[in-house]
Amino acid sequence: MANVKLLEYLSPLIPDSAESVSLLVSHFEHKVLQKGDIVLKEGEICTAFYFVESGHLRTCYNKEGVKINMHFHLEGSITSDHINGKAGIPSEFTIEAGEKSEIWVLNRETLVELCHADPKIMIFGRRLLSRILVDLSAHSNLFRMYTPAERYQYIEKNSPHLLQRVSLSNLASYLGMNRRTLTRIRAKK
Amino acid sequence: MANVKLLEYLSPLIPDSAESVSLLVSHFEHKVLQKGDIVLKEGEICTAFYFVESGHLRTCYNKEGVKINMHFHLEGSITSDHINGKAGIPSEFTIEAGEKSEIWVLNRETLVELCHADPKIMIFGRRLLSRILVDLSAHSNLFRMYTPAERYQYIEKNSPHLLQRVSLSNLASYLGMNRRTLTRIRAKK
DNA sequence: ATAATTTTGAGACTTTTGTCTCATAACGAA
DNA sequence: TTCGTTATGAGACAAAAGTCTCAAAATTAT
């Protein structure tokens, strides 16, 4: 039940206080997932944050029966369909394990309660939200401003590990191109 | 110096209090823009929110010398490069008037000060931010999940007025396609 | 109103991307 | 290790999107 990555992620977000950190950590629920295990299903309301301790989660949606990947979250990152979840809107996304994974789940309601109970956790809550939104917005700008081929080059340069972890078909749908096109891009060069 | 749209936008976001509303409104700066006038230039740090009272603003970036449109904000909506601006990061975007426009500018610093001075404005501030982020995230999901052609159909259905206001070339770059392709889409049907 | 400028639609051609297919390679389970 | 399943690379063709171009509208300024 490792939580090294979790602590690494939380520490910079919470004012230094052993009690607050351990109070916070104690409310994360540990889960072990096999490849394909679903964390959030399309149509459900997202009620939690999912931190990846090991393995990875993929967020995808259904496009005329085909699964299209929106995000991959490797170990050390956190995901959620927070904006819709908070508003009580069913998610269009499914979040599932892309491989055997260990995750830590923090219920949104629980976090709200902790925020009221502990001002340091309140600060954490704000920083967490802000970080999630900043990451999300950076990610979506990247996808808006780059062509599929540029996205591939970006990934190659900035998170090459992802290429080892995700199948070509999954990567292709993530980049917004056909598998054949991705093969071509890799072929030349 | 009309502010009808501005009041319409602010009212639902601020707890009922004539004083707070008028305090807030008094800190918006009125500007009249001619087509092409620049509100925020690529490379500058965005320090304000821009509310469109009439006309529209376009947000674009430079892609190898070509201007690509990211957003159009028609009258009654608000825009900003808030996330980067807040972090002190120079914007990659230029925001300019797409036609003769009237806008209301609210400085971010000013808003922060008002938040400290008036708890009702604090509530407003939170709601404003949340609304901006929700809109942004909905918009970017839409662009991520739809093909260029589907985006056109979406606009046609949900904001047909935009088609009357923006030139085909500008619309095409907004939708992520070539002008020729947009012409083809409109031709069939 | 008239001239100058900008925008538009569409033909002809090129390039890119997608579909279908299949043999080979890699992987997972018994 | 072996068998069955899934992933990969690539050929052949089809479809879609992009480039270049230009004449006809539409818009703007004088």
Side-chain angles (χ1 to χ4, degrees):
Chain A
M1 221 172 90
N3 64 6
V4 187
K5 297 269 175 190
L6 180 64
L7 289 173
E8 247 171 54
Y9 186 90
L10 300 181
S11 301
L13 296 181
I14 188 164
D16 212 29
S17 152
E19 299 85 59
S20 297
V21 173
S22 64
L23 175 62
L24 181 58
V25 169
S26 73
H27 284 85
F28 276 83
E29 187 192 346
H30 186 253
K31 279 198 182 168
V32 174
L33 307 173
Q34 299 306 312
K35 179 172 179 173
D37 284 358
I38 291 178
V39 162
L40 175 74
K41 200 169 194 163
E42 180 189 345
E44 291 176 359
I45 294 170
C46 178
T47 59
F49 300 96
Y50 310 98
F51 178 85
V52 184
E53 180 70 36
S54 73
H56 76 267
L57 293 178
R58 54 189 274 248
T59 305
C60 53
Y61 66 97
N62 248 72
K63 178 118 185 181
E64 289 131 42
V66 185
K67 272 192 182 175
I68 308 286
N69 295 298
M70 281 290 275
H71 296 278
F72 294 104
H73 285 91
L74 300 189
E75 59 282 327
S77 62
I78 197 164
T79 184
S80 174
D81 185 14
H82 175 254
I83 294 188
N84 283 321
K86 191 180 168 186
I89 298 170
S91 184
E92 317 169 77
F93 306 117
T94 292
I95 304 181
E96 61 177 65
E99 61 190 291
K100 190 171 186 307
S101 309
E102 261 182 280
I103 65 170
W104 292 98
V105 180
L106 177 63
N107 191 271
R108 190 185 322 110
E109 269 310 310
T110 307
L111 175 59
V112 171
E113 284 160 25
L114 288 172
C115 283
H116 293 315
D118 182 338
K120 299 200 169 167
I121 296 189
M122 174 73 91
I123 293 175
F124 163 80
R126 289 216 198 91
R127 291 183 182 167
L128 176 69
L129 263 286
S130 154
R131 168 137 182 203
I132 286 178
L133 292 169
V134 167
D135 289 352
L136 204 66
S137 119
H139 187 263
S140 60
N141 274 352
L142 192 149
F143 269 76
R144 186 85 190 277
M145 298 172 78
Y146 286 1
T147 64
E150 290 168 334
R151 284 170 215 156
Y152 177 73
Q153 274 134 28
Y154 181 90
I155 300 293
E156 215 178 12
K157 180 165 274 182
N158 298 280
S159 24
H161 21 290
L162 185 65
L163 307 181
Q164 264 58 62
R165 306 279 288 279
V166 165
S167 82
L168 265 211
S169 315
N170 279 332
L171 186 64
S173 87
Y174 175 64
L175 298 173
M177 62 172 91
N178 191 278
R179 188 169 69 86
R180 187 69 187 81
T181 306
L182 181 51
T183 300
R184 284 191 188 111
I185 289 176
R186 313 177 100 197
K188 56 180 157 188
K189 263 207 309 180
Chain B
M1 220 172 89
N3 65 5
V4 188
K5 297 269 175 190
L6 180 64
L7 290 173
E8 246 172 56
Y9 186 90
L10 300 182
S11 301
L13 297 181
I14 188 165
D16 213 29
S17 151
E19 299 87 59
S20 298
V21 173
S22 62
L23 175 62
L24 180 59
V25 168
S26 72
H27 283 85
F28 276 84
E29 186 192 346
H30 185 253
K31 279 198 182 166
V32 175
L33 306 173
Q34 298 306 314
K35 179 172 179 172
D37 285 357
I38 290 178
V39 162
L40 174 75
K41 201 169 194 164
E42 180 189 343
E44 292 176 357
I45 293 170
C46 178
T47 59
F49 299 96
Y50 310 98
F51 178 84
V52 184
E53 180 71 35
S54 73
H56 76 268
L57 294 177
R58 54 189 273 249
T59 305
C60 53
Y61 66 96
N62 248 72
K63 178 121 187 177
E64 290 132 41
V66 186
K67 272 190 181 176
I68 308 286
N69 296 298
M70 280 291 275
H71 296 281
F72 294 104
H73 284 92
L74 299 189
E75 59 282 326
S77 61
I78 198 163
T79 183
S80 174
D81 186 14
H82 175 254
I83 293 187
N84 283 321
K86 191 179 168 187
I89 298 171
S91 185
E92 318 169 77
F93 305 118
T94 293
I95 304 181
E96 61 176 66
E99 62 190 289
K100 190 172 187 306
S101 307
E102 261 182 279
I103 65 169
W104 292 98
V105 180
L106 178 63
N107 191 271
R108 191 183 324 107
E109 269 310 309
T110 307
L111 176 59
V112 171
E113 284 161 24
L114 288 172
C115 281
H116 293 315
D118 183 338
K120 298 198 169 168
I121 296 188
M122 174 73 92
I123 293 176
F124 163 79
R126 290 217 198 90
R127 289 182 182 168
L128 176 69
L129 263 285
S130 153
R131 168 139 180 201
I132 286 178
L133 292 170
V134 166
D135 289 352
L136 204 66
S137 118
H139 187 263
S140 60
N141 275 352
L142 190 149
F143 269 75
R144 186 86 191 275
M145 299 171 78
Y146 286 2
T147 64
E150 290 169 335
R151 285 171 214 156
Y152 177 74
Q153 274 135 27
Y154 181 89
I155 299 295
E156 213 178 15
K157 180 166 275 181
N158 298 281
S159 23
H161 20 293
L162 186 64
L163 307 180
Q164 264 58 61
R165 305 280 286 281
V166 166
S167 82
L168 265 212
S169 315
N170 279 332
L171 186 64
S173 86
Y174 176 64
L175 299 173
M177 63 172 91
N178 192 278
R179 188 169 69 86
R180 188 68 188 83
T181 307
L182 181 50
T183 301
R184 284 192 189 110
I185 289 176
R186 313 176 99 197
K188 54 181 156 186
K189 263 210 307 183

